[in-house]
Amino acid sequence: MEEFNGAVSHVLVSSEEIDEITTRLAAKISKDFEGKNLVLLGILKGSVPFMSDLMRKISLPAELEFMKVSSYGAGTVSSGKLNIHLDVLREGLENCDILVIEDIIDSGRTLKMVVSHLYEKGARSVKTCTLLDKPSRREVDFTPDYVGKEVPDYFVVGYGLDFDEKFRTLPYVGIPDFAFNK
Ligand code: IMP
Ligand code: MG
């Protein structure tokens, strides 16, 4: 366990700060979605810890959905392509006010395409909430509705975020030593 944690010695967002972020965002979401049919839609797998903490602080009834996606953008296909590994498993989104929950926004391609996809499926409204945002990395025009924290252009792990499927279970967000020292 010590070795596992030791590989991420620079903490960028502590557990305490995450707690403050989820409290602040949940209060805003609870106010903004009053009277709506809130559906929290998590993007697997990275959003799991954030979504789990956030949902329990939202003081409105909400339904849960998930999608699993990957995107190939710059360098492969200029327009970007959304690969949907798991789509929303329900018929008709006409009465749904969806809040997409994501771990981090980088180029913006993934969430931009997810939002279009959900409108194509008939969603009444689609908003987005991300724990972290790296605005300096944006490649497409996309602005999330709720942001936990803007971060500089470091590769980060923990609290859902992975490097090669590792580090998702850390209770904080940190910069792995290999990314911090380079
Ligand atoms: P985008 O489509 O370029 O905005 O990419 C968003 C996705 O890239 C996120 O869902 C993450 O899976 C991944 N990602 C972007 N930056 C990081 C990072 O610093 N650490 C781990 N995953 C990241
Ligand atoms: Mg992800």
mmCIF file of all heavy atoms in Angstrom, residues 21 24-25 105 128-133 144-150:
data_model
loop_
_atom_site.group_PDB
_atom_site.id
_atom_site.type_symbol
_atom_site.label_atom_id
_atom_site.label_comp_id
_atom_site.label_asym_id
_atom_site.label_seq_id
_atom_site.Cartn_x
_atom_site.Cartn_y
_atom_site.Cartn_z
ATOM 1 N N ILE A 21 -15.727 20.727 -2.392
ATOM 2 C CA ILE A 21 -16.191 20.854 -3.784
ATOM 3 C C ILE A 21 -17.552 20.179 -3.961
ATOM 4 O O ILE A 21 -18.479 20.766 -4.526
ATOM 5 C CB ILE A 21 -15.156 20.236 -4.759
ATOM 6 C CG1 ILE A 21 -13.918 21.128 -4.857
ATOM 7 C CG2 ILE A 21 -15.776 20.010 -6.143
ATOM 8 C CD1 ILE A 21 -12.742 20.500 -5.609
ATOM 9 N N ARG A 24 -20.319 22.188 -2.247
ATOM 10 C CA ARG A 24 -20.658 23.402 -3.004
ATOM 11 C C ARG A 24 -21.455 23.061 -4.262
ATOM 12 O O ARG A 24 -22.507 23.655 -4.538
ATOM 13 C CB ARG A 24 -19.359 24.147 -3.379
ATOM 14 C CG ARG A 24 -19.552 25.293 -4.361
ATOM 15 C CD ARG A 24 -18.272 26.110 -4.584
ATOM 16 N NE ARG A 24 -17.137 25.342 -5.069
ATOM 17 C CZ ARG A 24 -16.945 25.021 -6.345
ATOM 18 N NH1 ARG A 24 -17.825 25.353 -7.266
ATOM 19 N NH2 ARG A 24 -15.873 24.333 -6.706
ATOM 20 N N LEU A 25 -20.985 22.099 -5.033
ATOM 21 C CA LEU A 25 -21.673 21.757 -6.282
ATOM 22 C C LEU A 25 -23.067 21.185 -6.017
ATOM 23 O O LEU A 25 -24.020 21.517 -6.718
ATOM 24 C CB LEU A 25 -20.852 20.758 -7.102
ATOM 25 C CG LEU A 25 -19.544 21.278 -7.702
ATOM 26 C CD1 LEU A 25 -18.840 20.161 -8.470
ATOM 27 C CD2 LEU A 25 -19.785 22.474 -8.614
ATOM 28 N N ILE A 105 -12.200 17.177 -17.808
ATOM 29 C CA ILE A 105 -12.335 17.590 -19.204
ATOM 30 C C ILE A 105 -10.981 18.073 -19.694
ATOM 31 O O ILE A 105 -10.327 18.895 -19.053
ATOM 32 C CB ILE A 105 -13.388 18.703 -19.377
ATOM 33 C CG1 ILE A 105 -14.731 18.222 -18.820
ATOM 34 C CG2 ILE A 105 -13.520 19.075 -20.852
ATOM 35 C CD1 ILE A 105 -15.805 19.281 -18.892
ATOM 36 N N THR A 128 -23.764 19.589 -17.830
ATOM 37 C CA THR A 128 -22.571 18.790 -17.536
ATOM 38 C C THR A 128 -21.896 19.272 -16.250
ATOM 39 O O THR A 128 -21.872 20.463 -15.951
ATOM 40 C CB THR A 128 -21.559 18.871 -18.692
ATOM 41 O OG1 THR A 128 -21.264 20.245 -18.948
ATOM 42 C CG2 THR A 128 -22.120 18.235 -19.957
ATOM 43 N N CYS A 129 -21.350 18.311 -15.529
ATOM 44 C CA CYS A 129 -20.664 18.588 -14.264
ATOM 45 C C CYS A 129 -19.374 17.789 -14.239
ATOM 46 O O CYS A 129 -19.383 16.570 -14.413
ATOM 47 C CB CYS A 129 -21.572 18.152 -13.109
ATOM 48 S SG CYS A 129 -20.814 18.274 -11.480
ATOM 49 N N THR A 130 -18.253 18.489 -14.052
ATOM 50 C CA THR A 130 -16.974 17.782 -14.001
ATOM 51 C C THR A 130 -16.231 18.127 -12.722
ATOM 52 O O THR A 130 -16.296 19.271 -12.249
ATOM 53 C CB THR A 130 -16.105 18.133 -15.238
ATOM 54 O OG1 THR A 130 -14.926 17.331 -15.226
ATOM 55 C CG2 THR A 130 -15.705 19.609 -15.255
ATOM 56 N N LEU A 131 -15.567 17.136 -12.160
ATOM 57 C CA LEU A 131 -14.757 17.403 -10.974
ATOM 58 C C LEU A 131 -13.618 18.345 -11.335
ATOM 59 O O LEU A 131 -13.389 19.346 -10.672
ATOM 60 C CB LEU A 131 -14.188 16.087 -10.415
ATOM 61 C CG LEU A 131 -13.187 16.253 -9.272
ATOM 62 C CD1 LEU A 131 -13.869 16.792 -8.019
ATOM 63 C CD2 LEU A 131 -12.468 14.948 -8.978
ATOM 64 N N LEU A 132 -12.907 18.021 -12.405
ATOM 65 C CA LEU A 132 -11.744 18.815 -12.800
ATOM 66 C C LEU A 132 -11.869 19.293 -14.242
ATOM 67 O O LEU A 132 -12.483 18.626 -15.080
ATOM 68 C CB LEU A 132 -10.461 17.973 -12.674
ATOM 69 C CG LEU A 132 -10.178 17.356 -11.303
ATOM 70 C CD1 LEU A 132 -8.919 16.502 -11.377
ATOM 71 C CD2 LEU A 132 -10.026 18.438 -10.238
ATOM 72 N N ASP A 133 -11.267 20.433 -14.506
ATOM 73 C CA ASP A 133 -11.247 20.957 -15.867
ATOM 74 C C ASP A 133 -9.835 21.451 -16.161
ATOM 75 O O ASP A 133 -9.210 22.096 -15.325
ATOM 76 C CB ASP A 133 -12.252 22.114 -15.987
ATOM 77 C CG ASP A 133 -12.449 22.550 -17.441
ATOM 78 O OD1 ASP A 133 -11.963 21.844 -18.352
ATOM 79 O OD2 ASP A 133 -13.086 23.599 -17.659
ATOM 80 N N PRO A 144 -18.295 23.429 -19.617
ATOM 81 C CA PRO A 144 -19.141 22.672 -18.679
ATOM 82 C C PRO A 144 -19.982 23.621 -17.807
ATOM 83 O O PRO A 144 -19.608 24.772 -17.604
ATOM 84 C CB PRO A 144 -18.133 21.901 -17.829
ATOM 85 C CG PRO A 144 -16.856 22.656 -17.966
ATOM 86 C CD PRO A 144 -16.878 23.343 -19.295
ATOM 87 N N ASP A 145 -21.108 23.116 -17.317
ATOM 88 C CA ASP A 145 -21.996 23.944 -16.495
ATOM 89 C C ASP A 145 -21.548 24.004 -15.045
ATOM 90 O O ASP A 145 -21.735 25.010 -14.375
ATOM 91 C CB ASP A 145 -23.422 23.380 -16.579
ATOM 92 C CG ASP A 145 -23.949 23.421 -17.998
ATOM 93 O OD1 ASP A 145 -24.245 24.528 -18.468
ATOM 94 O OD2 ASP A 145 -24.029 22.360 -18.647
ATOM 95 N N TYR A 146 -20.984 22.921 -14.547
ATOM 96 C CA TYR A 146 -20.525 22.862 -13.149
ATOM 97 C C TYR A 146 -19.092 22.318 -13.133
ATOM 98 O O TYR A 146 -18.832 21.240 -13.681
ATOM 99 C CB TYR A 146 -21.411 21.945 -12.313
ATOM 100 C CG TYR A 146 -22.880 22.354 -12.330
ATOM 101 C CD1 TYR A 146 -23.743 21.839 -13.290
ATOM 102 C CD2 TYR A 146 -23.378 23.253 -11.386
ATOM 103 C CE1 TYR A 146 -25.087 22.218 -13.321
ATOM 104 C CE2 TYR A 146 -24.711 23.631 -11.401
ATOM 105 C CZ TYR A 146 -25.560 23.114 -12.375
ATOM 106 O OH TYR A 146 -26.876 23.492 -12.406
ATOM 107 N N VAL A 147 -18.198 23.063 -12.498
ATOM 108 C CA VAL A 147 -16.783 22.657 -12.436
ATOM 109 C C VAL A 147 -16.326 22.632 -10.985
ATOM 110 O O VAL A 147 -16.494 23.625 -10.260
ATOM 111 C CB VAL A 147 -15.889 23.635 -13.239
ATOM 112 C CG1 VAL A 147 -14.421 23.256 -13.102
ATOM 113 C CG2 VAL A 147 -16.294 23.668 -14.704
ATOM 114 N N GLY A 148 -15.750 21.512 -10.568
ATOM 115 C CA GLY A 148 -15.222 21.427 -9.213
ATOM 116 C C GLY A 148 -13.995 22.284 -9.052
ATOM 117 O O GLY A 148 -13.897 23.114 -8.138
ATOM 118 N N LYS A 149 -13.036 22.109 -9.964
ATOM 119 C CA LYS A 149 -11.789 22.853 -9.866
ATOM 120 C C LYS A 149 -11.079 22.880 -11.208
ATOM 121 O O LYS A 149 -11.002 21.857 -11.890
ATOM 122 C CB LYS A 149 -10.872 22.191 -8.822
ATOM 123 C CG LYS A 149 -9.623 22.993 -8.531
ATOM 124 C CD LYS A 149 -8.785 22.392 -7.417
ATOM 125 C CE LYS A 149 -7.623 23.317 -7.099
ATOM 126 N NZ LYS A 149 -6.873 22.918 -5.928
ATOM 127 N N GLU A 150 -10.555 24.044 -11.559
ATOM 128 C CA GLU A 150 -9.711 24.134 -12.750
ATOM 129 C C GLU A 150 -8.292 23.769 -12.348
ATOM 130 O O GLU A 150 -7.806 24.212 -11.306
ATOM 131 C CB GLU A 150 -9.745 25.555 -13.319
ATOM 132 C CG GLU A 150 -11.055 25.866 -14.009
ATOM 133 C CD GLU A 150 -11.013 27.177 -14.796
ATOM 134 O OE1 GLU A 150 -9.949 27.829 -14.834
ATOM 135 O OE2 GLU A 150 -12.063 27.526 -15.362
#
